[in-house]
Amino acid sequence: MLRIQAVQPDNQARFVRYAAEHGSEHDDSYLPGSGFESSPEHPAYLLFRDDVVIGAASLMRTPRYLQAGRSRFSIFHSTDPSVHAYSLLFGAIRRHFDGLRSVYLFLPESRVAAADAVRRLGFSVERYSFIMVLRDLNQKGLTVPEGYALQPIRPTDEHLYRGFAREINANFDTLAGHLPMPDDGLREWFTDETYLEDGIVLLLHGDTPIGTVCVMNEYEDRKAADISALSVAKAHRRKGLGRLLLKHAVCFAAWRGLQPVFLSLNAENDRALQLYRSEGFIVTVKVTCFSRDCERASSASP
């Protein structure tokens, strides 16, 4: 007998434990961690068979997502891959679709049964992404071109938050799936359990921010690193600065003793794909982004 239960303080630990044990089978980008608390910004549900947890679902409804009219699942997983199991989870979480145009999630290409279940619930393919890995971190020293500087950002550097956010938004403005980052959006990055001191960096031209990169611990393997937010302003592209930021990120990971190094990118981003491959990264997983129109959520049952 399957039943749904909202995540509350008395079952929160079971939810976090399930996410840690199973969430990375689908997507470990924003998995609920040890500090997770169910709230209007992070509604969450558990799926039980008798007294055994066999599924979990949670949405991210933070202001950044609500402003864009979208919400991403931090977890939508069941060890029972049947349409019925996923329907129960979806039926519970769709109560929190108010104010949203669409919701989305990512599934590795290998998760055929889960993909079939979400398709049956009305999800469709929005785009594809690649997960890439670099295992050989034998990197040489960096040479930063004259007039440019790499500026690590620490939690106390609040005066740099806005520059980082504005570069992210300007440099990723045409990237599918990008959600605008608020001026103080970095604040929550520093409280993430995968945060590494000096891993968040601005590229400056003089005193002007023109690029970004971030290195954190990989969620599932804390001995590995994850690179994200690598961007260069349009006016400064084709000068080798993207490669500079990538090399810096890899050297930083090596200096911290982290190996291998992972990153992800949209499959249509050919220029970035060529850059990463030229530096030794290889594609390990193809991931599908599935999205669902919230206006049709009331007709979700198969």
Side-chain angles (χ1 to χ4, degrees):
M1 184 71 164
L2 301 183
R3 61 185 174 88
I4 287 286
Q5 190 176 96
V7 174
Q8 303 289 345
D10 63 341
N11 62 15
Q12 206 155 261
R14 298 187 74 177
F15 173 80
V16 172
R17 185 163 59 249
Y18 183 91
E21 291 175 355
H22 299 287
S24 61
E25 295 170 12
H26 287 178
D27 177 18
D28 64 5
S29 302
Y30 296 97
L31 281 178
S34 57
F36 176 84
E37 293 183 4
S38 182
S39 68
E41 288 192 351
H42 299 279
Y45 293 86
L46 286 168
L47 177 64
F48 288 84
R49 173 174 286 120
D50 299 323
D51 193 44
V52 178
V53 178
I54 65 162
S58 183
L59 278 178
M60 293 185 286
R61 288 179 49 89
T62 59
R64 182 182 181 189
Y65 285 93
L66 293 180
Q67 184 177 3
R70 307 198 75 195
S71 182
R72 178 172 175 166
F73 282 88
S74 57
I75 184 171
F76 188 43
H77 182 283
S78 174
T79 55
D80 174 357
S82 69
V83 176
H84 179 55
Y86 276 95
S87 293
L88 289 173
L89 285 169
F90 186 80
I93 206 71
R94 71 183 180 187
R95 301 166 193 166
H96 304 275
F97 285 1
D98 54 298
L100 300 173
R101 293 191 303 275
S102 64
V103 294
Y104 65 103
L105 57 92
F106 289 86
L107 288 174
E109 207 174 29
S110 60
R111 296 292 167 176
V112 177
D116 179 65
V118 299
R119 282 192 175 98
R120 293 280 298 275
L121 290 170
F123 286 79
S124 58
V125 174
E126 180 179 301
R127 63 185 187 276
Y128 297 97
S129 297
F130 295 132
I131 295 174
M132 306 186 75
V133 64
L134 177 68
R135 301 192 183 279
D136 179 8
L137 271 60
N138 294 324
Q139 300 294 311
K140 297 180 180 179
L142 292 174
T143 301
V144 180
E146 185 176 353
Y148 294 90
L150 295 168
Q151 174 65 62
I153 305 177
R154 295 188 174 181
T156 54
D157 297 329
E158 296 187 6
H159 62 290
L160 297 176
Y161 288 12
R162 177 179 295 183
F164 189 93
R166 293 190 174 182
E167 282 308 299
I168 287 286
N169 292 334
N171 300 342
F172 289 155
D173 62 344
T174 60
L175 192 67
H178 172 65
L179 296 178
M181 185 177 187
D183 285 350
D184 65 345
L186 265 185
R187 194 176 307 278
E188 63 185 48
W189 293 28
F190 293 115
T191 60
D192 192 288
E193 59 189 270
T194 61
Y195 166 69
L196 295 171
E197 185 176 3
D198 292 342
I200 301 172
V201 173
L202 264 179
L203 176 62
L204 303 175
H205 183 233
D207 294 326
T208 304
I210 57 95
T212 61
V213 72
C214 176
V215 186
M216 292 192 177
N217 277 127
E218 206 273 329
Y219 181 87
E220 189 175 9
D221 179 3
R222 298 304 167 88
K223 294 181 180 180
D226 182 79
I227 297 174
S228 64
L230 197 160
S231 76
V232 176
K234 295 179 178 66
H236 292 265
R237 292 174 186 171
R238 299 182 184 278
K239 299 179 180 180
L241 297 175
R243 191 178 300 276
L244 169 70
L245 287 169
L246 181 62
K247 285 179 175 290
H248 165 78
V250 171
C251 286
F252 177 83
W255 173 68
R256 294 295 295 257
L258 301 173
Q259 192 172 352
V261 177
F262 294 90
L263 57 79
S264 62
L265 74 158
N266 283 8
E268 74 274 13
N269 194 347
D270 289 333
R271 185 177 299 172
L273 181 62
Q274 291 172 15
L275 168 62
Y276 301 148
R277 279 179 165 158
S278 71
E279 290 297 321
F281 283 82
I282 60 172
V283 174
T284 59
V285 180
K286 185 177 181 181
V287 180
T288 305
C289 176
F290 289 95
S291 64
R292 176 70 158 83
D293 183 346
C294 289
E295 295 179 357
R296 298 186 297 112
S298 60
S299 61
S301 298

